Amino acid sequence: MASSSSSSSTAGGGGGSGQVVAERRGIPGAQFVEDVQTYLTQLGLDVNSTLSFLQERLQQYKLVEMKLLAQQRDLQAKIPDIEKCLDVVATLQAKKGTGEALTADFEVSEGIYSRARIEETDSVCLWLGANVMLEYSLEEATDLLQKNLDNAKASLEVLVADLQFLRDQVTITQVTIARVYNWDVHQRRVRQVGAVPAQD
Amino acid sequence: MMLKCVPSKFFASELNVVIITIMKHLIFLVESNDVFFSRIKMRSGGSETEVTWEDQQNINKFGRLNNRFHELEDEIKIAKETNENFEDASNELILTDEEVVRFQIGEVFAHVPKDEVENRIEEMKEVTSQKLEKLEEEKESVLAQMSELKKILYGKFKDSINLEED
């Protein structure tokens, strides 16, 4: 009997009436069903319980998907921010050689701007979050920001792969629901056809 | 004169409903808040068509491609808008007679000489155009793969499956 292993890598297990992809980072894999009859006997449930079990699974997948989508939105907002910071540091670094100050207009409040003169400097302060700001040299700042950017992009990739895996499991579950329902209808028809000649 | 680029926004809309039609008379509705999911309708005729693991994988792949297709459409739209903004910006730049332009770097507007601004805009336009080209290419390939899969799946399931958009 095929059972799902709880390793966190995707592994294919065969045998029984289905194939199983083990859970991936906390998302349980959906069991693919070769034959509906064998699947139902293997679960030991009747059709309605199976359908409600599958529906429940679907809802759980939906919840996880919402969570992952929110995380993806956050990351996609963070990445342009980091790129903008890198831009600024690069501009400051470029200005360093020339000896002239950088004049800039910055926002004091909504719709109100003020002019600033930024002299040549060797260091910048970076906001690290949690009310913490640290001073870095221009090179260190560039390195730190670049590292953050790379981490963010890598997390985004992993997240996208997770979402794809999740959507696959959702598809498999939906198809299984359809097949179980179809099978049940088919069975009822067969039983009806069997019952009618007995009535003659 | 201020030059500013519009930031891109990411939004998701929840729409679809997967309908599973059983026989001609019964309709069983499964509510699914799936984002950008192609409607996959399955119907049972008199006999049951078996779904193999390979079929399942094809269906999964089709779903994934469809999602990617919608994402690509959004990204292409944003890239086109950004390109238009650059066009407008360089046109304004030609018309202006100021020597110093306030160019947005990060969150501030730095005073930059007009020539440098021109160069910067040219560079950014190049980058965006190349990105747009790549996105269009990917979209073509995704569409091609999707029609391949459609042929295979319709071949096996004929009427029992529907892979069209709304």
Side-chain angles (χ1 to χ4, degrees):
Chain A
M1 176 156 119
S3 55
S4 52
S5 65
S6 58
S7 69
S8 60
S9 58
T10 46
S17 74
Q19 295 184 31
V20 172
V21 175
E23 64 166 296
R24 179 194 164 114
R25 288 167 40 106
I27 309 170
Q31 181 180 8
F32 175 70
V33 166
E34 297 276 356
D35 176 42
V36 182
Q37 175 71 68
T38 338
Y39 178 64
L40 286 173
T41 17
Q42 175 194 358
L43 274 190
L45 298 170
D46 69 323
V47 179
N48 287 333
S49 325
T50 317
L51 281 177
S52 43
F53 163 70
L54 288 170
Q55 294 278 46
E56 238 185 80
R57 265 303 181 81
L58 208 60
Q59 298 298 36
Q60 289 173 346
Y61 284 145
K62 290 300 155 207
L63 281 174
V64 178
E65 187 176 352
M66 292 289 117
K67 215 173 52 158
L68 288 182
L69 278 177
Q71 282 180 355
Q72 186 187 21
R73 267 188 289 252
D74 287 338
L75 272 178
Q76 281 178 328
K78 227 168 71 154
I79 288 179
D81 271 347
I82 304 181
E83 284 173 350
K84 275 198 241 176
C85 293
L86 265 175
D87 230 353
V88 174
V89 175
T91 314
L92 284 176
Q93 206 153 16
K95 274 290 187 180
K96 217 162 83 137
T98 66
E100 39 179 79
L102 180 71
T103 331
D105 295 339
F106 65 96
E107 193 175 9
V108 179
S109 174
E110 177 98 23
I112 305 177
Y113 292 79
S114 171
R115 192 150 297 169
R117 228 174 84 108
I118 307 173
E119 303 284 345
E120 241 187 70
T121 174
D122 286 325
S123 64
V124 283
C125 300
L126 289 180
W127 174 267
L128 300 178
N131 286 340
V132 172
M133 181 177 259
L134 267 187
E135 187 171 350
Y136 289 94
S137 76
L138 288 177
E139 286 81 19
E140 285 176 355
T142 318
D143 287 336
L144 181 66
L145 287 172
Q146 190 63 48
K147 205 170 60 133
N148 284 349
L149 187 66
D150 295 335
N151 285 345
K153 288 195 173 154
S155 313
L156 191 62
E157 269 182 41
V158 171
L159 204 64
V160 165
D162 280 348
L163 267 173
Q164 284 189 338
F165 172 77
L166 188 64
R167 289 210 177 100
D168 283 350
Q169 307 313 304
V170 165
T171 316
I172 297 179
T173 314
Q174 285 171 331
V175 170
T176 312
I177 292 179
R179 288 169 66 203
V180 167
Y181 206 100
N182 285 354
W183 179 87
D184 181 44
V185 163
H186 188 69
Q187 290 299 99
R188 283 180 215 252
R189 272 159 111 219
V190 162
R191 259 177 275 144
Q192 256 190 357
V193 169
V196 166
Q199 284 171 8
D200 289 344
Chain B
M1 189 186 93
M2 315 261 237
L3 294 172
K4 185 167 175 169
C5 273
V6 180
S8 69
K9 280 210 215 50
F10 173 82
F11 63 98
S13 61
E14 324 232 330
L15 353 128
N16 274 307
V17 170
V18 172
I19 301 179
I20 305 169
T21 316
I22 319 291
M23 301 170 70
K24 298 161 237 160
H25 312 295
L26 294 170
I27 300 194
F28 179 61
L29 253 106
V30 174
E31 283 276 322
S32 119
N33 290 336
D34 231 341
V35 179
F36 304 135
F37 201 95
S38 180
R39 285 194 192 199
I40 298 188
K41 302 184 198 171
M42 303 189 68
R43 197 190 326 144
S44 96
S47 64
E48 258 187 56
T49 323
E50 276 312 318
V51 179
T52 65
W53 178 232
E54 203 191 312
D55 295 327
Q56 181 67 70
Q57 281 180 309
N58 281 342
I59 298 179
N60 284 352
K61 188 155 169 220
F62 185 81
R64 251 182 289 161
L65 284 174
N66 193 46
N67 278 330
R68 184 69 193 136
F69 173 69
H70 286 287
E71 280 174 22
L72 279 173
E73 288 215 315
D74 285 339
E75 284 178 30
I76 287 178
K77 198 173 89 159
I78 293 173
K80 283 200 179 141
E81 276 176 20
T82 319
N83 245 355
E84 272 179 32
N85 286 341
F86 285 142
E87 283 298 325
D88 293 340
S90 33
N91 289 342
E92 283 292 329
L93 197 57
I94 299 174
L95 293 173
T96 186
D97 49 2
E98 281 180 46
E99 207 15 71
V100 170
V101 176
R102 290 166 197 66
F103 185 78
Q104 183 185 29
I105 304 181
E107 291 298 320
V108 303
F109 296 90
H111 290 206
V112 185
K114 195 159 117 175
D115 304 318
E116 202 185 314
V117 173
E118 263 179 50
N119 293 337
R120 286 218 193 196
I121 295 192
E122 278 306 313
E123 273 174 54
M124 301 203 309
K125 258 205 292 201
E126 259 305 304
V127 166
T128 320
S129 306
Q130 281 180 355
K131 197 170 98 165
L132 188 62
E133 242 183 73
K134 259 188 15 195
L135 287 177
E136 297 272 8
E137 271 178 37
E138 200 186 333
K139 187 171 108 165
E140 294 302 310
S141 122
V142 161
L143 276 176
Q145 287 181 49
M146 271 169 62
S147 34
E148 265 306 305
L149 280 175
K150 267 196 200 176
K151 265 191 268 173
I152 299 178
L153 287 172
Y154 277 143
K156 166 114 190 242
F157 292 109
K158 302 192 211 348
D159 269 348
S160 301
I161 193 169
N162 177 6
L163 299 167
E164 305 306 321
E165 289 290 320
D166 303 347

